[in-house]
Amino acid sequence: MSLRQTVDKIKPTFSEGGKFGWLHSTFDAFESFLFVPDTVTKNGVHVRDSVDLKRVITAAMVALLPCVLFSMWNIGYQRNLAIGGDMGFWAMIWFGFLKILPLYLVTYIVGLGIEFTSAQLRGHEVNEGFLFSGLIIPMIVPVTIPLWMLGLAVAFAVIFGKEVFGGTGMNIWNPALLARAFLFFSYPNQMSGDGIWVATRKADVIVDGFSGATPLSQVSGGLDAIQYSVSDMFLGTIPGSVGETCKVAILIGAFVLIYTGVGSWKIMLSSVLGGLFVGFLGTAFGATDVPAWYHLIMGGFLFGTVFMATDPVTAAQTETGKWIYGFLVGAIAVVIRLFNPGYPEGMMLSILLLNTFAPLIDHCVVNHNIKKRLGRVKTV
Amino acid sequence: MSDYIRLKQGLDLPIKGAAALEVTKTVEPDLVAVKPSDWRGVIPRLLVREGDAVKAGTPLFADKQNPDIVFCSPVSGTVNAIVRGDKRKLLAVTVKADGKNESLKFSAPEVSKANRNAVRELLLQSGLWACIKQRPYGTVANPQATPKAVFISGFNTAPLGADLDFVLAGELPCIQAGIDALAKLTDGGVHLSLNRENCGKTEFRNLKNVITHVFAGAHPAGNVGIQINHISPINKGETIWTVNLQDVAAIGRLFLNGVYDTAKTIAVAGPAVKNPSYVKVPQGVAISALAEYFDNSEGDIRIISGDVLSGTTVGNDGFLGFYDNLVSVVPEGNYHEMFGWVKPFRCKKFSFSRTYWSWLCGKGRKYQMDTNTNGGQRAFFVSDVYGKVLPMDIYPVYLFKAILAGDIEKMEQLGIYEVIEEDVALCEYVCPSKIEIQNIVGKGIDLMLKEMA
């Protein structure tokens, strides 16, 4: 019996009126995961484009994969540095894999569990949005984060960041960043400082001189305080949130997002420009001696710009609005970095802030269009 | 003398089965239908009974709100059936032709000397007034109004759409007469849009008494609504009238010969058509007269009057729509495809987005499209995709959301007067969330009609 026949056979049980009718959303989700549904167009267009939300989300996940893969290696590599050991390439990856797997398990089980339940309660189809959010959340936390905290943060983000607004497409803030913000403000000890970015085993002995600090925590001391080379920061062989370190992997992701059209190049470009602009002002007025372009390769600036600021739901939705939104994301992130030494990573707050203001930006842009339309009447 | 407008947004749907430029059949009038549903907002009042003898041009029903507007039989014969649906709603009046092809004789004034009233009276009396659509809303034009201009699109960009130069070959004198007549109805002149690609060759460039515009770009550049938006956008309180070029020729025939002659050449096209080509048919022809072009014995194809984006499903027993000059036939897509969305290649599928590879396959490649939705419906998610296929100064998502919210003031502000369903059909096609956008816009227009009445 083919899989299709099996599915068709058990389908009545899970349809409305069936024994497990209350599980129909869950069943639909798995069925449409296995098979493109056989639904046909009814009103309006008779043929439809092949793209659907699953495909869009898949493209975004593919874009993130290089970061995920690199981060596994880097977790192992950082431990190796910390203990001054001589782990091989595969040993580092294996160590990283074992560290990152529980993060993913917790994120997906908690997040998807809530998504399925709420879809079930509302009788909707399960939305694919969390597949991407779930892939990105472990990338933006320290690898040492306690799993129960992570689970709590994911639950908070999905319930209060998304479901209360009506699910994917309705949310105001990027759910992944909301999870990170929750962790940051609830458990600052586990989210900042120098001791949390490198995973080690209990028995490991840290070698002298290994700090485990991120470049961002050193930036307030000026250029000389940054103990990492530019190439290290660019290649990503530095401590930091799990997926943010390797700029090469992020640029590959950016390439995929821009090429498939899933991520907006306008937001990415304007965010970089905004960051450089404020960074340049900072050096010009003597607030810091760190060159503006350093900000692009330190911390989560680039990662946030490419993967989080471009979230199509929470970003500005008008094309003009995207330029303004992106520029402000980059600019405010660097402002926070320069003027708030107690809190070096500005990207998260900057994006969340602009998520909040994106509807206002769009409102202004759309109002301009409305005024233009009204103006037409007056000139005639 | 003509201005040139280049549209960047849009998409020419690469669907298989374009009609070859030859007429492969002439359908003699047999069974035809006139359907009130072809006109938005018309509430029909029946004027004939079953068995009545009619000629081409005999009114079958009139609009209750505007009894001057009548809808006529396209052929001579007897009224075959009055088809009613739920709540006795009039669905169609069918006429069985007698083969004599007689038309009522109208005493047409010479166009050049006729005044506005005479032209209007003749169009109303002959039933050809129904050819004139009004913007906003795409209803039948209100005879009491004077539009700021009349717009005619001289080319067709819809998927598999009929080539107007081909179907109207040799009709130039009729078109000219039709344009001269329409020009009497407005002070703003008759605007004709031509396609950049063939504006040097087309006969239509020789038409007089028109203001010509040249457009370049993919579909929907040929939609008259898009053209209006770029030439003379509609503001609150203004009306513009639009007429299909083939109907302009019919109006011309009325003024030249005094007859109701709406026979036209249509394309029969699509992936499920055996011999895609052109057919000469009477208006409202029964689809069964075209049976040799496709095989629907399994019931696994969809027959559409109009194009695949905004046409109407008519089925084996249906009839050609009043404004349509195309019958599209596509396979139904009621099948499951295992892991379809995750397959990396899926080269036989077309997508406007680059999440598939079809953009690599060259522009000439055509695809076997079917009616599968290719995914389930979701909330609005991707924000910039609609703007890429809507060459208008409009923020589509905001307009759609205003309609969903029933916010009339916002709908006005965001441009509800400037769109009808066909203009946003491509937005619906490319929508990854599979939202029924034409349906939304249709509801918005219905709401406006109700509230503004």
Side-chain angles (χ1 to χ4, degrees):
Chain A
M1 194 154 64
S2 76
L3 184 58
R4 183 65 243 169
Q5 284 164 326
T6 316
V7 172
D8 281 337
K9 196 178 156 201
I10 60 172
K11 193 168 185 171
T13 322
F14 289 95
S15 302
E16 246 151 290
K19 195 172 167 192
F20 296 105
W22 52 278
L23 271 176
H24 70 95
S25 284
T26 311
F27 182 81
D28 287 346
F30 282 107
E31 191 194 355
S32 70
F33 179 80
L34 287 172
F35 297 97
V36 173
D38 63 346
T39 49
V40 293
T41 53
K42 282 195 211 89
N43 306 308
V45 293
H46 298 275
V47 294
R48 285 265 193 190
D49 198 283
S50 304
V51 71
D52 65 349
L53 201 51
K54 282 194 177 64
R55 187 78 182 187
V56 174
I57 297 285
T58 311
M61 291 173 76
V62 168
L64 191 55
L65 271 185
C67 288
V68 176
L69 295 177
F70 178 86
S71 67
M72 288 188 204
W73 174 81
N74 192 40
I75 291 167
Y77 177 76
Q78 292 301 329
R79 173 192 178 233
N80 194 38
L81 282 185
I83 62 173
D86 52 355
M87 294 163 75
F89 175 77
W90 290 109
M92 293 181 198
I93 290 207
W94 179 243
F95 179 80
F97 175 76
L98 289 182
K99 283 287 163 195
I100 216 169
L101 184 67
L103 300 183
Y104 273 119
L105 284 178
V106 167
T107 308
Y108 273 122
I109 290 172
V110 173
L112 286 180
I114 296 170
E115 283 270 353
F116 272 79
T117 313
S118 76
Q120 203 71 73
L121 289 176
R122 280 194 284 233
H124 286 184
E125 282 193 50
V126 179
N127 201 303
E128 294 83 359
F130 190 77
L131 291 176
F132 182 70
S133 304
L135 194 66
I136 213 168
I137 287 173
M139 292 287 107
I140 55 174
V141 295
V143 63
T144 57
I145 190 81
L147 294 178
W148 65 269
M149 287 184 194
L150 182 66
L152 206 60
V154 170
F156 173 82
V158 174
I159 295 173
F160 291 100
K162 205 152 104 172
E163 297 309 333
V164 293
F165 293 104
T168 304
M170 315 287 185
N171 46 312
I172 296 173
W173 298 287
N174 183 313
L177 274 181
L178 213 56
R180 191 181 200 277
F182 178 85
L183 287 172
F184 185 84
F185 291 110
S186 309
Y187 310 105
N189 289 340
Q190 279 75 24
M191 287 297 287
S192 51
D194 290 346
I196 56 158
W197 304 104
V198 177
T200 49
R201 295 208 173 101
K202 268 185 191 145
D204 285 346
V205 180
I206 310 295
V207 292
D208 286 345
F210 182 84
S211 81
T214 66
L216 267 187
S217 60
Q218 300 163 341
V219 76
S220 54
L223 189 57
D224 295 337
I226 299 174
Q227 53 169 239
Y228 298 97
S229 71
V230 169
S231 69
D232 280 350
M233 290 195 282
F234 186 70
L235 292 174
T237 56
I238 51 170
S241 291
V242 173
E244 72 179 21
T245 59
C246 180
K247 310 308 176 292
V248 181
I250 296 170
L251 288 176
I252 295 172
F255 179 77
V256 174
L257 286 180
I258 292 173
Y259 227 64
T260 55
V262 171
S264 164
W265 63 270
K266 290 173 188 166
I267 293 177
M268 295 186 203
L269 178 63
S270 58
S271 168
V272 167
L273 290 178
L276 286 178
F277 175 71
V278 174
F280 172 75
L281 285 187
T283 47
F285 290 97
T288 175
D289 62 346
V290 180
W293 56 273
Y294 259 62
H295 288 287
L296 302 184
I297 53 173
M298 288 189 303
F301 186 93
L302 206 59
F303 189 88
T305 292
V306 170
F307 293 110
M308 322 215 57
T310 54
D311 172 3
V313 175
T314 54
Q317 312 209 334
T318 55
E319 298 307 299
T320 319
K322 280 174 186 167
W323 286 107
I324 302 167
Y325 164 90
F327 189 87
L328 289 176
V329 164
I332 292 177
V334 176
V335 167
I336 297 174
R337 282 183 181 188
L338 291 183
F339 298 107
N340 187 351
Y343 175 53
E345 179 52 290
M347 202 56 188
M348 171 186 88
L349 281 189
S350 173
I351 295 176
L352 285 175
L353 186 71
L354 264 297
N355 281 172
T356 315
F357 283 106
L360 182 66
I361 296 172
D362 284 334
H363 177 81
C364 295
V365 174
V366 172
N367 252 18
H368 180 74
N369 178 270
I370 290 173
K371 286 222 180 84
K372 216 162 96 187
R373 184 162 288 115
L374 290 175
R376 246 165 31 195
V377 185
K378 282 175 200 140
T379 53
V380 166
Chain B
M1 75 174 225
S2 56
D3 52 346
Y4 168 56
I5 297 159
R6 188 168 161 265
L7 304 177
K8 287 184 195 150
Q9 301 92 335
L11 164 69
D12 283 325
L13 205 61
I15 181 168
K16 264 188 188 163
L21 288 182
E22 54 171 336
V23 175
T24 51
K25 187 181 178 186
T26 301
V27 178
E28 289 306 322
D30 183 29
L31 190 65
V32 299
V34 184
K35 298 173 285 181
S37 59
D38 285 347
W39 296 276
R40 180 192 289 281
V42 164
I43 303 169
R45 185 166 58 85
L46 210 52
L47 302 173
V48 291
R49 272 178 290 193
E50 282 180 18
D52 282 2
V54 294
K55 290 186 175 177
T58 306
L60 298 178
F61 53 87
D63 184 10
K64 261 185 191 163
Q65 299 136 307
N66 219 330
D68 288 343
I69 303 177
V70 292
F71 304 87
C72 297
S73 169
V75 298
S76 64
T78 49
V79 175
N80 184 55
I82 289 169
V83 188
R84 291 187 184 274
D86 293 343
K87 296 182 184 167
R88 293 187 42 80
K89 183 184 173 192
L90 180 63
L91 298 181
V93 177
T94 60
V95 176
K96 183 85 175 167
D98 55 9
K100 291 186 205 151
N101 253 343
E102 285 176 319
S103 165
L104 288 182
K105 273 291 180 188
F106 299 96
S107 56
E110 199 177 320
V111 187
S112 54
K113 290 176 188 151
N115 62 13
R116 184 171 292 176
N117 251 342
V119 171
R120 178 162 47 204
E121 285 312 313
L122 180 62
L123 284 174
L124 284 168
Q125 191 198 348
S126 67
L128 282 181
W129 189 268
C131 298
I132 306 175
K133 267 192 190 180
Q134 169 183 309
R135 296 292 184 110
Y137 312 139
T139 53
V140 180
N142 175 5
Q144 273 84 48
T146 307
K148 75 168 172 172
V150 173
F151 273 79
I152 301 165
S153 176
F155 65 108
N156 193 348
T157 49
L160 304 171
D163 180 338
L164 291 180
D165 285 291
F166 178 73
V167 299
L168 288 168
E171 302 251 22
L172 206 61
C174 302
I175 299 172
Q176 184 64 62
I179 285 174
D180 292 340
L182 290 170
K184 301 277 179 185
L185 298 174
T186 175
D187 301 324
V190 177
H191 296 255
L192 176 74
S193 305
L194 299 177
N195 193 353
R196 170 75 197 261
E197 276 166 31
N198 72 346
C199 64
K201 287 176 288 178
T202 175
E203 283 189 352
F204 306 146
R205 75 181 193 282
N206 300 321
L207 289 166
K208 307 272 185 308
N209 201 10
V210 288
I211 305 155
T212 339
H213 309 270
V214 177
F215 279 83
H219 188 59
N223 279 14
V224 67
I226 307 293
Q227 297 163 359
I228 295 170
N229 183 263
H230 287 269
I231 297 165
S232 176
I234 301 167
N235 303 306
K236 187 174 181 176
E238 296 177 338
T239 52
I240 277 181
W241 289 354
T242 70
V243 189
N244 291 341
L245 198 54
Q246 276 176 307
D247 296 335
V248 175
I251 292 174
R253 283 192 287 269
L254 172 70
F255 278 87
L256 291 179
N257 310 328
V259 293
Y260 185 94
D261 178 8
T262 48
K264 51 187 164 186
T265 308
I266 65 164
V268 180
V273 174
K274 285 177 202 157
N275 176 22
S277 52
Y278 288 83
V279 185
K280 278 200 166 119
V281 297
Q283 171 217 316
V285 65
I287 296 298
S288 54
L290 305 169
E292 68 216 60
Y293 288 89
F294 36 80
D295 172 18
N296 196 18
S297 51
E298 310 274 318
D300 55 357
I301 59 173
R302 182 179 295 190
I303 304 160
I304 301 153
S305 172
D307 65 68
V308 291
L309 294 179
S310 37
T312 318
T313 308
V314 287
N316 283 334
D317 310 323
F319 299 87
L320 184 70
F322 182 80
Y323 294 107
D324 297 330
N325 60 0
L326 165 68
V327 172
S328 316
V329 188
V330 289
E332 288 284 4
N334 49 353
Y335 56 85
H336 293 276
E337 186 185 359
M338 195 167 181
F339 291 122
W341 56 277
V342 77
K343 281 182 194 164
F345 296 110
R346 240 180 155 200
C347 281
K348 287 185 176 164
K349 290 279 191 179
F350 173 78
S351 177
F352 179 62
S353 82
R354 286 183 165 186
T355 53
Y356 286 95
W357 303 97
S358 48
W359 58 274
L360 276 177
C361 293
K363 282 206 162 161
R365 188 168 165 175
K366 303 288 180 195
Y367 294 82
Q368 172 91 14
M369 297 185 181
D370 58 47
T371 64
N372 194 290
T373 50
N374 294 314
Q377 193 168 34
R378 299 288 183 268
F380 280 109
F381 187 85
V382 180
S383 57
D384 57 351
V385 62
Y386 309 108
K388 287 180 184 162
V389 293
L390 183 66
M392 282 179 138
D393 186 19
I394 272 181
Y395 283 99
V397 176
Y398 289 86
L399 175 61
F400 304 154
K401 288 188 173 172
I403 296 173
L404 287 172
D407 184 340
I408 290 185
E409 197 185 351
K410 267 270 142 58
M411 282 155 68
E412 277 185 338
Q413 292 174 339
L414 292 167
I416 186 78
Y417 296 124
E418 300 173 49
V419 293
I420 63 171
E421 286 95 330
E422 62 178 28
D423 300 324
V424 296
L426 270 176
C427 298
E428 180 170 340
Y429 171 81
V430 300
C431 179
S433 300
K434 311 293 174 189
I435 294 168
E436 293 182 347
I437 288 166
Q438 292 187 89
N439 203 7
I440 294 174
V441 169
K443 284 193 176 135
I445 292 175
D446 288 343
L447 181 68
M448 294 301 290
L449 281 171
K450 204 172 132 205
E451 296 293 321
M452 297 294 159

